[in-house]
CSV table of all heavy atoms in Angstrom, one decimal:
chain,number,residue,atom,x,y,z
A,200,ALA,N,-3.8,81.5,46.0
A,200,ALA,CA,-3.8,81.5,47.5
A,200,ALA,C,-5.2,81.5,48.0
A,200,ALA,O,-5.5,80.9,49.1
A,200,ALA,CB,-3.1,82.8,47.9
A,201,SER,N,-6.2,82.2,47.4
A,201,SER,CA,-7.6,82.2,47.8
A,201,SER,C,-8.2,80.8,47.8
A,201,SER,O,-9.2,80.5,48.4
A,201,SER,CB,-8.4,83.2,47.0
A,201,SER,OG,-8.7,82.6,45.7
A,202,ARG,N,-7.6,79.9,47.0
A,202,ARG,CA,-8.1,78.5,46.8
A,202,ARG,C,-7.3,77.5,47.7
A,202,ARG,O,-7.4,76.3,47.5
A,202,ARG,CB,-8.0,78.1,45.4
A,202,ARG,CG,-9.0,78.9,44.5
A,202,ARG,CD,-8.8,78.6,43.0
A,202,ARG,NE,-9.7,79.2,42.1
A,202,ARG,CZ,-10.9,78.7,41.7
A,202,ARG,NH1,-11.2,77.5,42.1
A,202,ARG,NH2,-11.7,79.4,40.9
A,203,GLY,N,-6.4,78.0,48.5
A,203,GLY,CA,-5.7,77.1,49.4
A,203,GLY,C,-4.3,76.7,49.1
A,203,GLY,O,-3.7,75.9,49.8
A,204,TYR,N,-3.7,77.4,48.2
A,204,TYR,CA,-2.3,77.2,47.8
A,204,TYR,C,-1.4,78.2,48.5
A,204,TYR,O,-1.7,79.4,48.5
A,204,TYR,CB,-2.1,77.2,46.3
A,204,TYR,CG,-2.7,76.0,45.6
A,204,TYR,CD1,-4.0,76.1,45.1
A,204,TYR,CD2,-1.9,74.9,45.4
A,204,TYR,CE1,-4.5,75.0,44.4
A,204,TYR,CE2,-2.5,73.8,44.7
A,204,TYR,CZ,-3.8,73.9,44.2
A,204,TYR,OH,-4.3,72.8,43.5
A,205,VAL,N,-0.2,77.8,48.9
A,205,VAL,CA,0.9,78.7,49.1
A,205,VAL,C,1.6,79.0,47.8
A,205,VAL,O,1.9,78.0,47.1
A,205,VAL,CB,1.9,78.2,50.2
A,205,VAL,CG1,3.1,79.1,50.4
A,205,VAL,CG2,1.2,77.9,51.5
A,206,VAL,N,1.9,80.2,47.5
A,206,VAL,CA,2.5,80.6,46.2
A,206,VAL,C,3.8,81.4,46.5
A,206,VAL,O,3.8,82.4,47.3
A,206,VAL,CB,1.5,81.4,45.4
A,206,VAL,CG1,2.2,81.8,44.0
A,206,VAL,CG2,0.2,80.7,45.2
A,207,ALA,N,4.9,81.0,45.9
A,207,ALA,CA,6.1,81.7,46.0
A,207,ALA,C,6.5,82.3,44.7
A,207,ALA,O,6.9,81.6,43.7
A,207,ALA,CB,7.2,80.7,46.5
A,208,GLY,N,6.5,83.7,44.6
A,208,GLY,CA,6.9,84.4,43.4
A,208,GLY,C,8.4,84.8,43.6
A,208,GLY,O,8.7,85.5,44.5
A,209,ILE,N,9.2,84.4,42.6
A,209,ILE,CA,10.7,84.7,42.7
A,209,ILE,C,11.0,85.9,41.9
A,209,ILE,O,10.7,86.0,40.7
A,209,ILE,CB,11.5,83.5,42.3
A,209,ILE,CG1,11.1,82.2,43.1
A,209,ILE,CG2,13.0,83.8,42.4
A,209,ILE,CD1,11.9,81.0,42.7
A,210,GLY,N,11.7,86.8,42.5
A,210,GLY,CA,12.3,88.0,41.9
A,210,GLY,C,13.8,87.6,41.6
A,210,GLY,O,14.6,87.8,42.5
A,211,HIS,N,14.1,87.2,40.4
A,211,HIS,CA,15.5,86.7,40.0
A,211,HIS,C,16.3,88.0,39.8
A,211,HIS,O,16.1,88.8,38.9
A,211,HIS,CB,15.4,85.9,38.8
A,211,HIS,CG,14.5,84.7,38.8
A,211,HIS,ND1,14.9,83.5,39.4
A,211,HIS,CD2,13.2,84.6,38.5
A,211,HIS,CE1,13.8,82.7,39.3
A,211,HIS,NE2,12.8,83.3,38.7
A,212,ASN,N,17.3,88.2,40.6
A,212,ASN,CA,18.1,89.4,40.6
A,212,ASN,C,18.8,89.7,39.3
A,212,ASN,O,19.2,88.8,38.6
A,212,ASN,CB,19.1,89.4,41.8
A,212,ASN,CG,19.6,90.8,42.1
A,212,ASN,OD1,19.0,91.8,41.9
A,212,ASN,ND2,20.8,90.8,42.7
A,213,TYR,N,18.8,91.0,38.9
A,213,TYR,CA,19.4,91.5,37.7
A,213,TYR,C,18.7,91.0,36.4
A,213,TYR,O,19.3,91.1,35.4
A,213,TYR,CB,20.9,91.1,37.7
A,213,TYR,CG,21.7,91.8,38.8
A,213,TYR,CD1,22.4,91.0,39.7
A,213,TYR,CD2,21.8,93.2,38.9
A,213,TYR,CE1,23.1,91.6,40.7
A,213,TYR,CE2,22.5,93.8,39.9
A,213,TYR,CZ,23.2,93.0,40.8
A,213,TYR,OH,23.9,93.6,41.8
A,214,GLU,N,17.5,90.4,36.6
A,214,GLU,CA,16.8,90.0,35.4
A,214,GLU,C,15.5,90.7,35.2
A,214,GLU,O,14.7,90.4,34.3
A,214,GLU,CB,16.5,88.5,35.5
A,214,GLU,CG,17.8,87.6,35.5
A,214,GLU,CD,17.6,86.2,35.9
A,214,GLU,OE1,16.4,85.7,35.7
A,214,GLU,OE2,18.6,85.5,36.3
Side-chain angles (χ1 to χ4, degrees):
S201 78
R202 294 173 177 265
Y204 288 91
V205 177
V206 182
I209 303 178
H211 306 274
N212 199 21
Y213 296 119
E214 297 172 18

